[in-house]
Amino acid sequence: MAQLDKNIRLATEKRSKRSIDQLTGFKVTDAFTRFSQRDEIYCRSEWDEDVMSEKASAFFQGYYMPNARSRKTDGFSQRDYALRNASWHVTNILRDVKRESEGLKEGFFDHFSLHDEGWPEPYPFESAQHATNDLQKVARFCGADLVGVCDYDERWVYTEAFCDKTKKGKPLSLPDDLPHVIVTGEAMDADLTKTVPSALAGSATGMGYGYDTITLLTLAQYIRNLGYRAYATMNDSALAVPLAVQAGLGEVGRHGLLITEEFGPRLRLGKIFTDMPLVASTPKKFGVKEFCDICDRCASACPPKAIPHGEQNDQVLNRSNLIGVVKWTTDAEKCFKFWANQNSDCSICIRACPYNRPVTRTMSRWYHRFWHKLASSRLRKLALWLDDQIADRSRHKSGWWWARKS
Amino acid sequence: MAQLDKNIRLATEKRSKRSIDQLTGFKVTDAFTRFSQRDEIYCRSEWDEDVMSEKASAFFQGYYMPNARSRKTDGFSQRDYALRNASWHVTNILRDVKRESEGLKEGFFDHFSLHDEGWPEPYPFESAQHATNDLQKVARFCGADLVGVCDYDERWVYTEAFCDKTKKGKPLSLPDDLPHVIVTGEAMDADLTKTVPSALAGSATGMGYGYDTITLLTLAQYIRNLGYRAYATMNDSALAVPLAVQAGLGEVGRHGLLITEEFGPRLRLGKIFTDMPLVASTPKKFGVKEFCDICDRCASACPPKAIPHGEQNDQVLNRSNLIGVVKWTTDAEKCFKFWANQNSDCSICIRACPYNRPVTRTMSRWYHRFWHKLASSRLRKLALWLDDQIADRSRHKSGWWWARKS
């Protein structure tokens, strides 16, 4: 009987995975292998000699002020590093509360565990739809710019976590019986992305993480206060991008980043695994795959040539790549080496992306709506040509940002 | 020579205090006595038998879920408490990082000390004006909705702090040689203030504190990263309202709250004491004193009658009042007793205040601008009459908020 139940469950899972892939357009081959966080490029910089270097160490240390390598290059002055490093501060505090005592690096290698006791019994929602409406309302109140829900999909969950102390893999502490994943998106400062590459622009990432942390901790505590289980995760525990696509937030671009209709690729992602009764969102398609097929602005703009030109494929460049998925695959080794060399994260691919469309005085909302319609139609080549003529994707000086009224 | 220097300093201080009072309109009498945090009503609920009660304990415990006294009354259900308590969660974590180990309750009884090492030498700003421009830019980037600067004014600094462990006064750890105070304002959710009194509405306060904490920690770390000293304080160390008025954020209303042009009384305040070179803001007058002279909507709406009708005076009702300042004085004992009785904070005075003007579809921006002009003119009685006719200051049901699109 138990075996029969298991067989039915497995068959249902297989069917639902096929249908979610039909909805998202994901092409997962038989070679598919789940990912270990140990192979993520940041983790590799702590154990893999192919990635470890003095510059890589200096890159990480530079996030703390006395070690910042401030210099005369535009965007890399003390003032720029001062803001960049401060923007990470709250995330770092919350990350490290249990670091010394319990070896946890929350939000990065471990899910958040900073929670108070919730309610002993689950709140009796009228229906899963009512619960989902409340969740949407609360997520936005807690600061999420976007929110969606998908079913749990083990494929995107890490096979193991990374241990901050031993610098080796360790068992994942995320339960595997939570049926839903809430995915949240936190928009990053549009003006700052115009100044990449710079230490200054890293402040958009830092504050993005800060707001992400707050939204996730508050939202997960809310769900626990209702009497359900909720595990908030950020860079830890699972791959965010495929879950975000399944949760209807957007599509994947050539640069490997999630592209949303609302903020393009200018977004930080968070995810909460829960048993709160929820209705899954429908994956959203607005022609990103087809547009990226004809656009390679990110690939051309990438200094270390880490983003591929050409068609999607399932080629694997190094151990930081996911095996068995047909997609555009970024060379994380080249990407990270560039970060280490310039002593700051990059994001030129975000600045160069036509979907990165900050609303400005000169380019008004109606034009962006019109452009989106064009880009998702058969006239996408016209959309790209138009954007090449009109959009200013050049690097702005850091002084431009500092002087700009906000 | 040292004595002469001291005499000059004292004379300058006396002169500048007179002139700041001329700018703000504060009337400080010879009886003026600085305030001890020990006499603040929340602290008194921990040591003063006149304020301590079972209901007061239950009120504080209700901020943690298993103890929440959820009930059938509208706005006090489990769902409402679940959100209210979650909204405080990040503030609570950051407040308690050093609570057990060092006895600090940061942001409430003690200034924040959760900081990384900054830069060893001060950043050479071209001028104090340049530094102030940068500060404004960064404060808004870190999430402040309003920001201003005033000179250090010892009168509003507590004579002593409150000790979480001994429940007695203890020496203030804030240095007294920092020449400037940055005051930040964090707007609270406008829709939620329509549902007061309710546990649900307390979520506006909770998230307000959350964002306040993040802004303060990030901004203070930024100033330290520039090489200056910076001490971030929230409810601790000094009275926020007089400093906010001196920093040009707004004026004090009949209800004792700061009233701003931008958000009315719907605001949380933070303050950073610093030696960063800064230009003080000019106190802003837009007729609040004169308007509150003819308006007593908050006093009439307050269930425990804690807000006075009539003229400003220097009457002292109990030890939670500041001695020697002519103003409208709230009876904190009556106010807090009402909170304890309903097992939630209140804010009816915010809902009833004509300056609490959320921009809605029916009342557009131009009308609010017109109303502000009228309220600050000799036609203020007309402004009040008009608002009485048009504005809906009634309590909205919690379900209205939950169902409202955001």
Side-chain angles (χ1 to χ4, degrees):
Chain A
M1 189 66 188
Q3 188 54 43
L4 181 66
D5 277 353
K6 202 181 161 191
N7 287 349
I8 292 172
R9 191 169 58 79
L10 287 174
T12 315
E13 274 177 14
K14 208 167 173 185
R15 194 175 56 241
S16 79
K17 251 151 233 173
R18 218 174 25 235
S19 73
I20 189 72
D21 287 354
Q22 275 161 4
L23 289 169
T24 59
F26 288 166
K27 295 178 205 96
V28 180
T29 72
D30 289 341
F32 177 77
T33 312
R34 280 170 61 200
F35 195 73
S36 161
Q37 190 173 15
R38 193 168 166 269
D39 290 331
E40 199 214 280
I41 196 75
Y42 312 111
C43 297
R44 286 177 66 199
S45 76
E46 298 194 34
W47 68 264
D48 185 343
E49 285 182 6
D50 288 353
V51 182
M52 289 163 100
S53 72
E54 265 184 45
K55 282 190 175 169
S57 299
F59 163 81
F60 287 114
Q61 283 162 20
Y63 280 81
Y64 299 90
M65 211 54 207
N67 317 311
R69 299 200 168 174
S70 69
R71 47 199 191 269
K72 284 196 175 153
T73 321
D74 177 74
F76 293 87
S77 76
Q78 187 199 333
R79 175 171 79 153
D80 300 312
Y81 275 101
L83 180 56
R84 199 276 306 261
N85 292 359
S87 73
W88 279 90
H89 186 54
V90 171
T91 303
N92 291 350
I93 297 172
L94 294 165
R95 177 195 70 191
D96 291 347
V97 171
K98 297 190 179 178
R99 194 161 178 186
E100 267 198 27
S101 59
E102 298 175 41
L104 300 176
K105 200 173 167 183
E106 302 198 353
F108 291 85
F109 300 159
D110 302 278
H111 64 74
F112 287 106
S113 72
L114 300 166
H115 284 294
D116 289 324
E117 197 183 330
W119 198 252
E121 284 157 36
Y123 180 80
F125 280 107
E126 229 171 282
S127 69
Q129 190 56 56
H130 279 85
T132 310
N133 295 349
D134 275 14
L135 173 83
Q136 290 269 357
K137 178 80 185 176
V138 170
R140 283 170 195 278
F141 176 68
C142 298
D145 293 306
L146 295 177
V147 60
V149 175
C150 66
D151 291 331
Y152 180 82
D153 189 335
E154 196 187 51
R155 294 178 297 175
W156 317 123
V157 177
Y158 291 149
T159 51
E160 53 176 4
F162 186 70
C163 178
D164 187 39
K165 286 202 169 164
T166 62
K167 307 299 178 198
K168 288 181 180 168
K170 69 175 182 184
L172 206 68
S173 62
L174 183 77
D176 61 0
D177 61 344
L178 296 163
H180 307 296
V181 188
I182 300 159
V183 184
T184 58
E186 213 69 51
M188 288 158 61
D189 188 278
D191 286 348
L192 278 177
T193 59
K194 289 179 166 287
T195 74
V196 294
S198 64
L200 173 65
S203 312
T205 313
M207 278 315 283
Y209 268 102
Y211 287 122
D212 216 7
T213 306
I214 293 141
T215 300
L216 290 171
L217 279 167
T218 310
L219 192 53
Q221 186 62 50
Y222 163 71
I223 298 170
R224 287 167 180 240
N225 288 353
L226 286 174
Y228 297 97
R229 293 154 73 204
Y231 290 81
T233 74
M234 206 158 60
N235 285 12
D236 56 289
S237 305
L239 297 168
V241 173
L243 289 168
V245 174
Q246 293 184 184
L249 264 59
E251 292 186 65
V252 192
R254 178 180 289 276
H255 37 43
L257 303 172
L258 181 79
I259 292 183
T260 64
E261 278 191 298
E262 297 82 353
F263 309 103
R266 219 172 49 243
L267 212 78
R268 308 296 334 160
L269 297 172
K271 44 210 187 310
I272 297 176
F273 292 77
T274 185
D275 61 359
M276 180 175 174
L278 292 170
V279 179
S281 320
T282 307
K284 200 193 264 182
K285 286 252 198 182
F286 52 103
V288 171
K289 155 81 175 62
E290 295 73 15
F291 187 86
C292 290
D293 267 334
I294 61 147
C295 172
D296 58 2
R297 298 299 173 271
C298 57
S300 300
C302 178
K305 304 194 189 311
I307 301 171
H309 293 267
E311 298 272 303
Q312 290 187 335
N313 60 52
D314 63 350
Q315 201 193 332
V316 167
L317 306 166
N318 57 59
R319 62 185 302 151
S320 287
N321 294 141
L322 190 59
I323 297 166
V325 180
V326 179
K327 63 189 187 75
W328 287 294
T329 290
T330 298
D331 190 330
E333 290 184 8
K334 286 183 181 170
C335 175
F336 182 71
K337 201 171 177 185
F338 182 73
W339 291 23
N341 281 340
Q342 69 162 5
N343 196 246
S344 158
D345 60 352
C346 173
S347 300
I348 291 178
C349 52
I350 293 182
R351 168 161 64 74
C353 180
Y355 283 105
N356 180 34
R357 312 182 71 73
V359 174
T360 63
R361 275 159 234 146
T362 47
M363 286 208 275
S364 60
R365 279 172 206 278
W366 76 258
Y367 173 71
H368 290 303
R369 270 203 297 270
F370 164 72
W371 186 86
H372 262 289
K373 278 227 183 296
L374 209 61
S376 65
S377 78
R378 287 185 177 189
L379 296 172
R380 61 185 70 92
K381 277 194 179 168
L382 177 61
L384 181 58
W385 177 85
L386 202 63
D387 209 56
D388 281 344
Q389 308 310 310
I390 293 178
D392 179 5
R393 302 192 203 110
S394 70
R395 180 181 184 277
H396 288 44
K397 290 239 178 198
S398 68
W400 168 84
W401 185 83
W402 282 100
R404 194 171 158 82
K405 275 260 178 219
S406 52
Chain B
M1 191 64 189
Q3 187 54 43
L4 181 66
D5 278 354
K6 200 182 161 190
N7 287 350
I8 292 171
R9 192 169 56 81
L10 288 175
T12 315
E13 275 178 10
K14 206 168 173 185
R15 195 173 57 239
S16 78
K17 251 152 232 173
R18 221 176 20 237
S19 72
I20 189 72
D21 288 353
Q22 276 162 4
L23 289 169
T24 57
F26 288 167
K27 295 180 204 96
V28 179
T29 72
D30 289 341
F32 177 79
T33 311
R34 280 170 60 200
F35 195 74
S36 162
Q37 189 173 13
R38 194 169 164 268
D39 290 331
E40 198 213 278
I41 196 74
Y42 311 110
C43 297
R44 285 177 67 199
S45 76
E46 298 194 34
W47 67 265
D48 186 341
E49 287 183 3
D50 288 353
V51 182
M52 290 162 99
S53 71
E54 265 184 46
K55 282 191 174 168
S57 299
F59 164 80
F60 287 114
Q61 284 163 19
Y63 280 82
Y64 298 91
M65 210 54 206
N67 317 310
R69 299 201 168 175
S70 69
R71 48 199 190 269
K72 283 197 175 153
T73 320
D74 178 74
F76 292 88
S77 75
Q78 187 199 334
R79 174 171 81 153
D80 300 312
Y81 274 100
L83 181 55
R84 198 276 305 265
N85 292 359
S87 74
W88 279 91
H89 185 57
V90 171
T91 303
N92 291 350
I93 297 173
L94 293 164
R95 177 194 71 190
D96 291 346
V97 172
K98 298 190 179 179
R99 194 160 178 187
E100 267 197 27
S101 59
E102 298 176 41
L104 300 176
K105 199 173 167 181
E106 301 200 351
F108 291 84
F109 301 159
D110 301 278
H111 64 74
F112 286 106
S113 71
L114 299 166
H115 284 295
D116 288 323
E117 197 183 331
W119 198 250
E121 284 157 38
Y123 180 79
F125 280 107
E126 232 172 279
S127 70
Q129 190 56 57
H130 279 85
T132 310
N133 295 348
D134 276 14
L135 173 82
Q136 291 268 357
K137 178 80 186 175
V138 170
R140 282 170 195 279
F141 176 68
C142 298
D145 293 305
L146 295 177
V147 60
V149 175
C150 65
D151 292 331
Y152 179 82
D153 189 335
E154 196 189 51
R155 294 179 297 175
W156 317 125
V157 176
Y158 292 148
T159 51
E160 53 176 5
F162 186 71
C163 179
D164 186 41
K165 285 201 170 165
T166 63
K167 307 299 178 200
K168 288 182 178 169
K170 69 175 182 184
L172 206 68
S173 63
L174 184 77
D176 62 359
D177 61 343
L178 296 163
H180 306 297
V181 188
I182 300 159
V183 184
T184 57
E186 213 69 51
M188 287 158 61
D189 188 278
D191 286 347
L192 278 178
T193 59
K194 288 180 168 287
T195 73
V196 294
S198 65
L200 172 66
S203 313
T205 313
M207 277 315 282
Y209 268 102
Y211 286 123
D212 215 7
T213 306
I214 293 141
T215 300
L216 290 170
L217 278 167
T218 311
L219 192 54
Q221 186 61 49
Y222 164 71
I223 298 170
R224 288 168 180 238
N225 288 354
L226 287 173
Y228 296 98
R229 293 156 72 204
Y231 290 80
T233 74
M234 206 157 60
N235 285 12
D236 58 288
S237 304
L239 297 168
V241 173
L243 290 168
V245 174
Q246 293 184 185
L249 264 59
E251 292 186 67
V252 192
R254 178 180 290 276
H255 39 43
L257 303 171
L258 181 79
I259 291 183
T260 64
E261 280 192 297
E262 296 83 354
F263 309 102
R266 219 174 49 243
L267 211 78
R268 309 295 334 160
L269 297 171
K271 43 209 190 310
I272 297 176
F273 292 77
T274 184
D275 60 359
M276 180 175 174
L278 292 170
V279 180
S281 319
T282 307
K284 199 193 264 182
K285 287 251 198 180
F286 52 103
V288 171
K289 156 81 176 63
E290 295 74 14
F291 187 87
C292 290
D293 268 334
I294 60 148
C295 173
D296 58 2
R297 299 300 174 270
C298 57
S300 300
C302 179
K305 302 192 190 312
I307 301 171
H309 292 268
E311 297 274 301
Q312 290 187 334
N313 60 51
D314 64 350
Q315 202 193 332
V316 166
L317 305 166
N318 57 59
R319 62 185 303 151
S320 286
N321 294 141
L322 190 58
I323 297 167
V325 180
V326 179
K327 63 189 187 74
W328 288 292
T329 290
T330 298
D331 190 330
E333 290 183 8
K334 285 183 181 169
C335 175
F336 181 71
K337 201 171 176 184
F338 181 72
W339 292 23
N341 280 340
Q342 71 163 3
N343 196 249
S344 157
D345 61 351
C346 173
S347 301
I348 291 178
C349 52
I350 293 183
R351 170 161 61 77
C353 179
Y355 284 104
N356 179 34
R357 311 182 71 73
V359 175
T360 63
R361 275 158 233 149
T362 46
M363 287 207 272
S364 61
R365 278 171 208 278
W366 76 260
Y367 172 71
H368 290 302
R369 270 202 298 270
F370 163 74
W371 187 87
H372 261 289
K373 278 227 185 295
L374 209 62
S376 65
S377 76
R378 288 186 178 189
L379 296 172
R380 61 185 70 92
K381 277 194 178 169
L382 176 61
L384 181 57
W385 177 84
L386 202 62
D387 209 56
D388 280 345
Q389 308 309 311
I390 293 177
D392 179 6
R393 302 192 203 109
S394 70
R395 180 181 184 278
H396 288 44
K397 290 240 179 197
S398 69
W400 168 83
W401 186 84
W402 281 102
R404 193 171 157 82
K405 275 260 178 217
S406 52

